[in-house]
Amino acid sequence: MSSPDVAGILDQSKELDRLRKDQEEILLEINKMHKKLQTTPEVVEKPGDNSLSRLKMLYIQAKELSESEVAVSSQLLTQLDALIPSGPPGQQRRRMEGNEQKKKRMKADPDVPRLSPSLRNHLDHLASLKGEQVAARVTLEDADKDEWFIVKVIHFDRDTREFEVLDEEPGDDEEPAGQRKYKLPMSHIIPFPKRNDPSTAQDFQPGKHVLAVYPGTTALYKATVVNTRKRKTDDYLLEFDDDEEDGSLPQRNVPFHKVVTLPEGHRQ
């Protein structure tokens, strides 16, 4: 075995060691995200939270590192095969065929790396919203202001992480057909608390800014909480921005299940 051949193998071994250390660091980060989602799964429903995007990026990095490890390992095998004397007829071919079959199985598996149980549970929850009403931002990212309406969930696509929703009561300026469909990302959807389960609702304190359905409409606007509720089933008393009458803001009752967290960076 010549020195250059040995040096090449050692270089590849060092690269393999580096890749594995990088994978260990990524795995630690993934485990931290898993723990966060397991202990506080509701965090992904908060507008502006990037936990799922961060987790997706870590999965992508882990996949790329894994593929690089396979490539370096294959190169090492090739170098070693070239230096090791051939065995009985057919042995070398069987070893190479075995490696190729392993690669094919890895490429054919679409679930590597697989979704964590907490992420699967969250996606299951989003898929279970089918048929329910949610708050949806139907304006584009670069719009001058954000417009939120009550819409009905038609479908949630797990692959694209997109919702298909139906605006059942569009405004008078909409097309004659009456109802409009939208495809929206997860960040544009906020589930309402369940009417028959007050424990799913947040308890907003007086002075807190929220997003709420304006009485008599299907539109949501920024409002400020006025009252301290005695029971979780009580209505909120709210003052809506830009709702001035005779120089003051009227206080309006809104059911708890029509009030959600105000998204970060809300424009109006």
Side-chain angles (χ1 to χ4, degrees), residues 21-60:
K21 288 180 179 178
D22 288 346
Q23 288 182 77
E24 290 175 0
E25 292 177 2
I26 292 293
L27 183 59
L28 286 174
E29 290 297 317
I30 289 177
N31 287 337
K32 288 180 183 178
M33 291 298 298
H34 286 176
K35 186 175 181 180
K36 175 183 177 182
L37 293 173
Q38 287 169 351
T39 55
T40 56
E42 69 278 3
V43 72
V44 297
E45 297 180 4
K46 294 182 178 179
D49 180 76
N50 65 346
S51 298
L52 294 180
S53 298
R54 171 67 177 160
L55 187 60
K56 179 180 178 181
M57 183 186 71
L58 290 171
Y59 278 139
I60 292 174

Side-chain angles (χ1 to χ4, degrees), residues 7-239:
I9 290 174
L10 292 177
D11 287 342
Q12 293 288 62
S13 298
K14 289 178 181 178
E15 176 64 10
L16 193 61
D17 185 53
R18 184 191 68 80
L19 288 169
R20 287 173 177 169
K21 288 180 179 178
D22 288 346
Q23 288 182 77
E24 290 175 0
E25 292 177 2
I26 292 293
L27 183 59
L28 286 174
E29 290 297 317
I30 289 177
N31 287 337
K32 288 180 183 178
M33 291 298 298
H34 286 176
K35 186 175 181 180
K36 175 183 177 182
L37 293 173
Q38 287 169 351
T39 55
T40 56
E42 69 278 3
V43 72
V44 297
E45 297 180 4
K46 294 182 178 179
D49 180 76
N50 65 346
S51 298
L52 294 180
S53 298
R54 171 67 177 160
L55 187 60
K56 179 180 178 181
M57 183 186 71
L58 290 171
Y59 278 139
I60 292 174
Q61 291 176 337
K63 181 175 182 290
E64 291 175 347
L65 287 170
S66 178
E67 291 173 345
S68 297
E69 181 186 0
V70 172
V72 173
S73 298
S74 298
Q75 292 175 12
L76 270 170
L77 286 171
T78 300
Q79 289 174 308
L80 290 169
D81 284 341
L83 296 172
I84 296 174
S86 300
Q91 179 178 336
Q92 184 77 0
R93 185 177 66 254
R94 285 195 298 273
R95 182 164 62 247
M96 292 177 65
E97 288 175 350
N99 289 335
E100 288 300 320
Q101 290 298 322
K102 182 179 179 181
K103 290 180 189 176
K104 289 179 181 178
R105 286 197 301 272
M106 292 180 67
K107 290 180 180 179
D109 188 351
D111 295 323
V112 178
R114 298 182 183 279
L115 296 177
S116 68
S118 57
L119 182 55
R120 281 201 303 271
N121 290 340
H122 179 63
L123 295 179
D124 287 342
H125 169 67
L126 296 180
S128 72
L129 294 174
K130 181 179 179 180
E132 293 191 16
Q133 289 186 331
V134 297
R137 191 179 96 195
V138 298
T139 45
L140 300 176
E141 296 289 349
D142 57 354
D144 293 333
K145 66 176 183 178
D146 297 339
E147 294 183 356
W148 289 81
F149 298 105
I150 298 176
V151 298
K152 182 179 180 180
V153 175
I154 300 174
H155 176 68
F156 174 67
D157 190 318
R158 292 171 178 268
D159 296 327
T160 63
R161 307 290 199 269
E162 282 188 331
F163 281 91
E164 184 177 1
V165 300
L166 177 68
D167 183 1
E168 298 177 285
E169 298 182 22
D172 296 335
D173 58 342
E174 302 293 347
E175 61 266 18
Q179 300 180 338
R180 293 190 64 181
K181 290 183 180 180
Y182 298 92
K183 283 193 174 181
L184 303 172
M186 292 166 50
S187 59
H188 284 216
I189 298 293
I190 303 179
F192 285 119
K194 294 185 181 299
R195 184 197 301 260
N196 59 355
D197 186 3
S199 66
T200 60
Q202 286 186 254
D203 192 16
F204 299 109
Q205 298 301 308
K208 181 71 174 179
H209 295 309
V210 295
L211 194 65
V213 178
Y214 190 85
T217 76
T218 58
L220 291 90
Y221 299 97
K222 180 181 177 182
T224 303
V225 177
V226 176
N227 66 325
T228 299
R229 299 184 307 151
K230 295 181 179 180
R231 297 171 299 180
K232 283 187 171 294
T233 54
D234 290 345
D235 289 352
Y236 277 103
L237 191 62
L238 305 177
E239 290 180 350

